[in-house]
Amino acid sequence: MTPAFHDRDGGLFAEDVDLTALAEAVGTPFFCYSSAAMTDRYKALAAVLDPLGVDILFAVKANSNQAVIATLAAAGAGADVVSEGEIRQALAAGVPARRIVFAGVAKTAAEMAFALEAGIGQFNVESFAELTMLDAVAREMGRVAPVGLRVNPDVDAGTHEKITTGRKENKFGVDIAAAPAFFAAAADMAGVDARSMSLHIGSQITQLEPFERAYRGLREMTLALRAAGVTIDHLDLGGGLGIVYADETAPDLNQYARIVRDTVGDLGCRLSVEPGRFLVGNAGILVCQVILVKPGETRDFIFTDGAMNDLIRPTLYEAYHAIRPLRPRGPAQARPADIVGPVCESGDYLGKGRYLPTLEVGDLVAVMGAGAYGAVMASTYNSRPLAPEVLVAGARHHVIRPRLSYAELLARDSVPLWLTDQTVDHGA
Ligand code: LLP
């Protein structure tokens, strides 16, 4: 099988596509995804989880391009979504409604109604207020909403502050101790059918121990609820499996599966997981072009046409993304370089203090690990057009989202007549 991103003829390829040629064809910056990389990741996870009957739901928030969702759906994935927009993306990509789970910490009544109408598989509810609201919306529509309670197990996932979700001080879920009260309340509501619990403790988790603790808590609560006469027949184990960006140790999948089996495998529940980053993170890169080189006192500044508006992870989470020239001119230099964008903020950088081969204006660089939380978090800050996304499969490529044109960028605004038509009375 062709490796996803690899060197061939002195330059970086995505499967059988020469990225230098692709850059010429689509312009820079652009995101490039490898179908094989996504499918392989899915298969690796399915290989250990299928025997346990665990359903894999792709967390669409990581990359909601319909072509990406469709690639994973073709491999067998359902979808974990957090908004009406993501439900629409998943449906448009061909995910069957019943394989869509609607998570999200504060759904609106309109979103609930849309999801009920579409016939999605489950709502993961995160508060009593939300449960009451969903019950009302469903009754009004003459429906019964399948519900799972998202519990907060108060487990520290040991990940970055901004992407940890399973501690008491986070806004997510209902304290696991309140689960009996939640199911008791749900039992009296005609619009909901609550038989499931879910949790998600954070993202980019590289230690398996937090999963084990959280799943054990879920097991204990399932047994306690059953003892109290509550039916629990499904558990959603969340996402969060970390990947290698730099020198992290990737969690061992067999060990992860063992933990699932040992903690919740014997409960007779249907099980599901919601990986996002794991499936797509290293299946994508951001290709940028060097537009200016500025020697500094202690380091060089390499300006690229890609910036924080394209990939905000370094700025927002101090995240590390490996950066390399598509075609290295030689060995790494002794002098460090900051790879920065043209956006007017000191926080606008893609990588700091990197030891890279010499880079000259016009050279192309790849920012690795940009398949998850890259394009989906991009903005037009500084009126920069959104970068295109390109999907590669073997020797084929397809622009799965074109670059936003300046015409489209300008057309998004509307200037009122009183500012443009001098004959209008300004009322001053
Ligand atoms: N399920 C739920 C309920 C979630 O909140 C998330 C992610 C996932 C699944 C998928 O997590 P994953 O498998 O991708 O770790 N923008 C941040 C990550 C935010 C994650 C939010 N929730 C980043 O770039 O690191």
Side-chain angles (χ1 to χ4, degrees):
M1 213 216 55
T2 315
F5 297 104
H6 65 285
D7 281 283
R8 197 189 294 180
D9 308 330
L12 190 65
F13 272 60
E15 301 190 30
D16 291 321
V17 172
D18 181 350
L19 286 162
T20 308
L22 187 56
E24 231 158 81
V26 303
T28 52
F30 70 97
F31 288 93
C32 177
Y33 310 128
S34 155
S35 308
M38 293 188 252
T39 308
D40 283 358
R41 293 292 272 183
Y42 182 86
K43 283 188 187 152
L45 192 58
V48 298
L49 293 182
D50 275 357
L52 304 175
V54 181
D55 199 18
I56 300 174
L57 309 172
F58 171 49
V60 165
K61 65 172 77 65
N63 191 323
S64 56
N65 190 295
Q66 287 162 47
V68 169
I69 303 173
T71 300
L72 288 164
D80 158 62
V81 303
V82 292
S83 68
E84 179 173 332
E86 286 190 355
I87 298 175
R88 288 177 184 269
Q89 294 276 55
L91 290 172
V95 180
R98 68 188 154 71
R99 294 208 55 215
I100 298 178
V101 169
F102 191 4
V105 63
K107 308 163 192 73
T108 65
E111 286 181 310
M112 289 173 177
F114 178 83
L116 279 166
E117 195 59 54
I120 65 148
Q122 179 164 312
F123 293 79
N124 285 344
V125 166
E126 305 213 14
S127 62
F128 279 85
E130 205 187 15
L131 181 70
T132 311
M133 190 169 169
L134 180 56
D135 174 50
V137 173
R139 275 189 291 116
E140 179 135 332
M141 295 172 69
R143 306 272 174 111
V144 178
V147 161
L149 168 67
R150 167 139 177 210
V151 297
N152 184 330
D154 195 24
V155 167
D156 186 351
T159 184
H160 189 276
E161 174 71 19
K162 288 201 177 102
I163 53 175
T164 194
T165 51
R167 289 191 319 221
K168 273 210 166 74
E169 53 270 38
N170 302 130
K171 69 181 176 186
F172 299 99
V174 170
D175 180 0
I176 192 162
F182 178 93
F183 284 98
D188 289 334
M189 297 179 182
V192 299
D193 181 18
R195 307 154 164 262
S196 167
M197 282 191 287
S198 75
L199 57 71
H200 173 78
I201 55 174
S203 198
Q204 183 53 13
I205 304 170
T206 50
Q207 303 292 317
L208 288 173
E209 193 268 338
F211 288 115
E212 186 167 8
R213 254 188 305 148
Y215 296 171
R216 222 168 263 297
L218 207 52
R219 169 198 186 76
E220 278 156 27
M221 185 46 74
T222 302
L223 295 174
L225 287 165
R226 284 179 173 173
V230 178
T231 301
I232 299 292
D233 59 16
H234 173 255
L235 296 174
D236 176 342
L237 305 174
L241 277 176
I243 63 170
V244 176
Y245 285 104
D247 52 6
E248 304 91 338
T249 311
D252 180 84
L253 290 186
N254 284 303
Q255 216 172 319
Y256 176 71
R258 245 193 318 275
I259 288 172
V260 171
R261 190 194 62 202
D262 293 350
T263 53
V264 294
D266 64 342
L267 296 172
C269 286
R270 287 182 301 115
L271 299 172
S272 46
V273 291
E274 306 165 347
R277 187 190 317 266
F278 176 86
L279 295 174
V280 294
N282 277 326
I285 62 173
L286 175 66
V287 178
C288 313
Q289 187 166 40
V290 176
I291 54 173
L292 185 96
V293 176
K294 184 172 166 181
E297 196 104 319
T298 57
R299 56 185 60 208
D300 293 336
F301 294 99
I302 311 286
F303 286 79
T304 66
D305 55 7
M308 67 185 278
N309 71 298
D310 301 301
L311 182 68
I312 204 170
R313 301 195 70 257
T315 309
L316 199 53
Y317 313 116
E318 293 90 39
Y320 175 91
H321 286 261
I323 297 176
R324 56 155 290 175
L326 287 198
R327 294 184 172 274
R329 289 176 183 276
Q333 298 295 295
R335 195 175 149 79
D338 285 3
I339 318 302
V340 300
V343 167
C344 300
E345 298 213 22
S346 296
D348 175 30
Y349 65 93
L350 297 171
K352 279 191 169 169
R354 303 297 173 86
Y355 296 88
L356 298 176
T358 310
L359 281 165
E360 293 175 9
V361 170
D363 285 355
L364 297 165
V365 296
V367 184
M368 310 304 288
Y373 307 110
V376 285
M377 295 181 78
S379 77
T380 58
Y381 186 39
N382 278 203
S383 291
R384 292 165 46 82
L386 293 172
E389 297 172 85
V390 183
L391 182 66
V392 163
R396 290 173 297 177
H397 79 264
H398 182 78
V399 177
I400 58 176
R401 183 180 294 170
R403 189 183 309 282
L404 193 71
S405 70
Y406 282 117
E408 288 163 326
L409 186 82
L410 294 181
R412 302 208 297 181
D413 298 348
S414 176
V415 180
L417 257 190
W418 73 74
L419 290 174
T420 51
D421 187 343
Q422 296 309 312
T423 65
V424 172
D425 180 3
H426 290 252

